[in-house]
Amino acid sequence: MFNKSLVKTPMPEQNPAARARNFSEVALGYTEADAQSEAARCLRCKHKPCVAGCPVEVDIPGFVGKLAEGDPAEAYEIIRRTNALPAVCGRVCPQETQCEQKCVRGKNGVSVGIGRLERYAADWAMKNGEGASVQAAAPNGVKVAVVGSGPAGLTCAGELAGLGYEVTVFEAFHRPGGVLVYGIPEFRLPKAIVAREIEGLLARGVTLTTNCVVGRSLTLDELFAEGFRAVFIGSGAGLPTFMNIPGESLNGVYSANEFLTRVNLMRAFDETWDTPVQNAKRVAVVGGGNVAMDAARCALRLPGVETVTVVYRRGEAEMPARAEEIHHAREEGIDFKLLTNPTEVLGDDKGWVTGLACVEMELSEPDESGRRRPKPKPDSRFELPVDSVIMAIGSSPNPLIRQTTPDLPVNKWGCVVADEADGRTGKKGVYAGGDTVTGAATVILAMGAGRAAARSIHEDVLAGAI
Ligand SMILES: Cc1cc2nc3c(=O)[nH]c(=O)nc-3n(C[C@H](O)[C@H](O)[C@H](O)COP(=O)(O)OP(=O)(O)OC[C@H]3O[C@@H](n4cnc5c(N)ncnc54)[C@H](O)[C@@H]3O)c2cc1C
């Protein structure tokens, strides 16, 4: 049943002109025939390099083999042994730099579409009401607190609950999911899918406490005083960075985080919700990463928006966004002003944005990141007429927890210092992982960190170290 095709089975997608104005999912998912044909491209290598490329070590040849045999239920069961959120990862993981980059099939053609197949198996299981069998250990009476319900916190909580721990997740927002619900847009990751995967995790007996900001509502030391034996910090990196240029406090300037939270978590695009978002016609998004692409594509879908321009100081080759995201943004009609840097947000006498002053840039020698350093071209200032500006130039961990936990080691960027392999921090009983340790990274790395920390907590409890 081996399929010799050198190319991936294409992913059916909504037509760009139609999808640019709606929030429905762009990628429509494989049919059964697509999945079987794509799975049949796997070479079933003995040494499985793809598994080494997956931070949660999914048995990729195992599940792909089951799909090729037409057994999606067993394929799902195999994925769920190590990945608690397969419908999420199948949609948003950067497989091209992870499992698919290691795929031997890619050496003489295009790698197997592992992410697309993972999504197919997970969606099949949801549609057919199949949950993976949960084998939880007997309760051990040990209480563990998890701060944050993003992929790091949820994975850590799910793993510990499976080992018999009494786990409580404390979440600042009113809904669990972290960036999966407030950041990544509906058209890339439908919120109903995230909710189903989270329900499955919480069904393991995890308690969820929402609207609870650790560091404000209660501190880490108060958690220990309440009888929690260990605390895992998975609070992400949600504090936005601004450029510190004049005009950034004008009405109509948003951080990408705030804009995306209004649109995704608080559904500002849906007329039946009363979440306000500015009624702009021309929007500029500053930045060249995935967050900038998501903000730009969300902005274009809002009623009344006519043009969206991405303003980025380097060229396309230097953009950190995934090639697929840039391609989708271009197809939908987003305009790109590359080698362009904002110098001032312009406003009217009532304090509303009217434009973005920019300079043209040129690239010189590479900087410490290895990318060519941009420098302004003399006398190149120009004005872009816009009525909203979204800053998507990075984010860092929120300072609340470090400010209220003076003995928790943090680095100069405000990230919690934790061993990336096992999640242990310099404070006894405290573990950390995900974006709060690494700075903004990926869903699967956060999940891998949550899993590693759960193992360390279990080891330390068994050893009597905490
Ligand atoms: C717009 C956007 C698009 C992205 N797209 C992708 C993508 O396509 N693929 C990919 O792999 N990655 C993507 N990422 C990155 C990815 O989402 C993150 O790396 C990942 O979510 C990090 O997981 P986490 O659990 O560490 O943190 P988060 O997902 O940030 O979750 C942290 C949670 O902790 C809560 N919290 C924070 N402080 C406190 C506190 N003091 N008390 C209680 N709760 C607290 C927050 O409310 C949040 O719910 C994207 C990120 C953004 C912003």
Side-chain angles (χ1 to χ4, degrees), residues 92 94 147-153 170-173 178-179 182-184 188 212-214 234-236 260 291 294 401 434-435 441-443 446:
V92 305
V147 182
S149 66
F170 296 93
E171 167 55 49
F173 272 135
V179 172
Y182 81 74
I184 304 181
R188 281 210 296 125
C212 177
V213 183
V214 174
S235 49
L260 288 168
V291 178
D294 281 342
I401 292 179
D435 283 6
T442 63
V443 170

Side-chain angles (χ1 to χ4, degrees), residues 134-322:
V134 179
Q135 290 165 349
N140 65 7
V142 179
K143 283 169 64 176
V144 177
V146 169
V147 182
S149 66
L154 288 173
T155 306
C156 184
E159 292 280 325
L160 288 170
L163 291 166
Y165 288 81
E166 199 181 308
V167 185
T168 306
V169 175
F170 296 93
E171 167 55 49
F173 272 135
H174 58 284
R175 270 178 60 190
V179 172
L180 306 180
V181 294
Y182 81 74
I184 304 181
E186 177 78 19
F187 55 82
R188 281 210 296 125
L189 181 60
K191 302 309 150 214
I193 300 239
V194 181
R196 287 282 296 272
E197 294 222 313
I198 294 176
E199 269 166 32
L201 266 176
L202 297 182
R204 292 182 162 199
V206 173
T207 304
L208 173 68
T209 305
T210 52
N211 297 312
C212 177
V213 183
V214 174
R216 180 149 293 150
S217 315
L218 77 184
T219 64
L220 291 201
D221 289 327
E222 284 165 352
L223 286 170
F224 286 116
E226 282 188 18
F228 288 97
R229 190 90 72 85
V231 179
F232 173 75
I233 308 173
S235 49
L239 184 75
T241 305
F242 283 91
M243 291 188 75
N244 292 322
I245 56 174
E248 274 182 306
S249 54
L250 287 165
N251 297 316
V253 179
Y254 293 91
S255 70
N257 274 41
E258 183 190 342
F259 175 76
L260 288 168
T261 302
R262 284 174 188 250
V263 175
N264 294 314
L265 184 69
M266 301 165 77
R267 302 183 79 84
F269 64 89
D270 184 338
E271 281 167 8
T272 62
W273 285 58
D274 58 4
T275 307
V277 69
Q278 200 211 340
N279 213 352
K281 282 197 168 64
R282 295 162 302 183
V283 180
V285 177
V286 181
N290 289 316
V291 178
M293 296 308 111
D294 281 342
R297 296 174 71 199
C298 273
L300 190 68
R301 285 162 166 78
L302 292 179
V305 172
E306 289 168 5
T307 61
V308 178
T309 308
V310 168
V311 176
Y312 179 56
R313 64 194 180 133
R314 293 180 159 105
E316 181 157 343
E318 290 80 23
M319 284 177 83
R322 291 173 75 184

Side-chain angles (χ1 to χ4, degrees), residues 321-343:
R322 291 173 75 184
E324 182 187 342
E325 299 306 324
I326 300 170
H327 170 71
H328 276 146
R330 282 197 191 283
E331 270 190 338
E332 289 167 10
I334 307 276
D335 198 20
F336 284 76
K337 278 229 169 294
L338 302 177
L339 291 168
T340 301
N341 203 31
T343 53

